[in-house]
Amino acid sequence: RSQSGVTIVELLSGIALSALIGGIMVSSMFELTKASELGQAQQAVTVQIRAATLWLERDIARASSSNVPDPGSPLTTAQFDWTDEVGPHSCVYALTGTDLIRTCDSVPISVAKHLTGLQFTRSGQLVTVGFTATSPDLATKSESVSINLAMRSS
């Protein structure tokens, strides 16, 4: 007579195979989550670099003078001045904690967050700005930037 059913060996083989597949799936999900977190951290750093660079490029390109010595020791705070059809303008950049604060015509705004090591140097009309942006979620993800921006001629 024929018997139907599974033997203990077949049952244990099925359980072992299921456990192996489940382990691979959990490991894959963990790696996918880790990759996603790294991607989000990189994106956060990039957003802060772009925000800081946008304002710095705009104001330094307009500036005809600055308190950054030419040449001289690096400054952690810089002032850029210009005059346009509206009148004279003055913008100061400084870190408050890890926020880059732009105070233009006495109105302060935070233009970027999670920055450290802000430095301004100058050679002629060329201003070099350096800083490090760090992810708020993953402190090990950071990027140092050094950008050269030209002031307009006086």
Side-chain angles (χ1 to χ4, degrees):
R1 117 164 119 104
S2 78
Q3 293 186 351
S4 62
V6 293
T7 66
I8 191 77
V9 172
E10 293 170 329
L11 181 63
L12 290 175
S13 296
I15 291 172
L17 186 58
S18 295
L20 180 64
I21 292 171
I24 291 171
M25 289 177 60
V26 167
S27 176
S28 296
M29 290 301 293
F30 177 76
E31 290 299 320
L32 184 62
T33 301
K34 187 175 177 182
S36 176
E37 288 173 355
L38 283 173
Q40 289 173 350
Q42 179 61 49
Q43 182 180 14
V45 167
T46 301
V47 164
Q48 296 310 313
I49 290 171
R50 285 184 181 169
T53 303
L54 173 80
W55 287 101
L56 287 161
E57 284 178 341
R58 178 181 174 267
D59 291 341
I60 292 173
R62 291 178 175 181
S64 55
S65 66
S66 174
N67 72 328
V68 180
D70 174 25
S73 298
L75 297 181
T76 57
T77 300
Q79 178 175 327
F80 301 98
D81 304 304
W82 70 91
T83 301
D84 61 16
E85 60 279 352
V86 177
H89 302 279
S90 180
C91 288
V92 176
Y93 285 87
L95 283 181
T96 300
T98 61
D99 286 4
L100 178 60
I101 305 297
R102 172 188 182 258
T103 304
C104 198
D105 300 332
S106 301
V107 178
I109 62 169
S110 175
V111 296
K113 298 182 179 301
H114 311 292
L115 302 185
T116 57
L118 181 65
Q119 287 193 335
F120 296 89
T121 57
R122 182 172 157 199
S123 177
Q125 295 302 101
L126 188 65
V127 176
T128 301
V129 183
F131 58 87
T132 300
T134 304
S135 168
D137 301 323
L138 193 61
T140 58
K141 184 61 188 166
S142 64
E143 188 172 333
S144 294
V145 176
S146 180
I147 53 175
N148 295 315
L149 303 168
M151 294 186 344
R152 76 179 168 157
S153 299
S154 309

